[in-house]
Amino acid sequence: RQLTGRSQFVLMMDISNSMNAEDITPSRMAFSVAFAEKLLLGMEGSRVALFAFAANGYLIMPFTSDLFALRSVLAGLSPLATTHQGTHIGESLETLFKKLASIERSVLDKGGDWMPPSLVMLSDGESHSPIEIKTLARFRSARIPIYAIGVGTPGGTLIPTGGRSNSMPLRDRSGKPIHTQLNKKNLTEMSSRTEGAYFSARLEEIPRLIDHLKRRDRGGQSPSQFQTRSE
């Protein structure tokens, strides 16, 4: 049976080009992977899925309790893992929501139990299109809180090509160097509208995040709220 009394969450990793920026040491991407790996070490016994996104998103690993294997996959994540660049967080959330709804149906059809997972998002919050309120409302009604970790600084920096600080900066179509910075507003809105929480990019925040994840599950199984099927 699919669960339950133990934590279940999705790691949603931003792998857009801006994650190569080095305003967070050694880079946003490297920090995100290190943060996720340390989080998993503190969440042994949980079931975790891995979802990566840039222009859109895709499920890299379905829910698993094999966190060692998951950490191995995490270590290989980078913007090179997708050719579809240009961040669209809203579209990626929609893709993830539909995938979770499909997983839920499959579990219930097999007679299993289902508890809506939490969502842990590591991102700089930049998005080339607005994040629709109706998308966030779906997550809230489905009881899927978004715990957002803001990876980047308000001042930001240029994006190195090839992920190295001594390389030429990434440029837009007009030839102008692209400047990237943390969009905390997007991340705090996503977390607040889904009854989650926002965390800064510090490893010291991991115990507080773990407490949020575990506290949510202490009440036991929650009913499904997906509005994707006609009854």
Side-chain angles (χ1 to χ4, degrees), residues 17-18 21 23 28 124 126 128 153-160 169-172 176-182:
N17 281 326
S18 62
D23 52 349
R28 294 178 187 177
D124 54 31
E126 290 187 324
H128 295 172
T153 59
T157 187
L158 299 178
I159 304 172
L170 194 66
R171 299 176 182 273
D172 60 22
K176 181 180 178 181
I178 299 173
H179 187 273
T180 176
Q181 63 193 80
L182 174 69

Side-chain angles (χ1 to χ4, degrees), residues 13-24 26-32 53-55 78-80 82 84-89 122-128 150-153 156-164 169-171 178-183 187:
M13 304 288 290
D14 189 341
I15 58 170
S16 58
N17 281 326
S18 62
M19 296 300 285
N20 278 331
E22 297 176 344
D23 52 349
I24 295 289
S27 71
R28 294 178 187 177
M29 189 75 252
F31 173 85
S32 294
F53 73 98
S78 81
L80 296 176
T82 179
H84 301 288
Q85 285 294 338
T87 316
H88 295 279
I89 295 178
L122 286 126
S123 174
D124 54 31
E126 290 187 324
S127 184
H128 295 172
V151 186
T153 59
T157 187
L158 299 178
I159 304 172
T161 56
R164 297 198 311 272
L170 194 66
R171 299 176 182 273
I178 299 173
H179 187 273
T180 176
Q181 63 193 80
L182 174 69
N183 189 325
L187 296 170

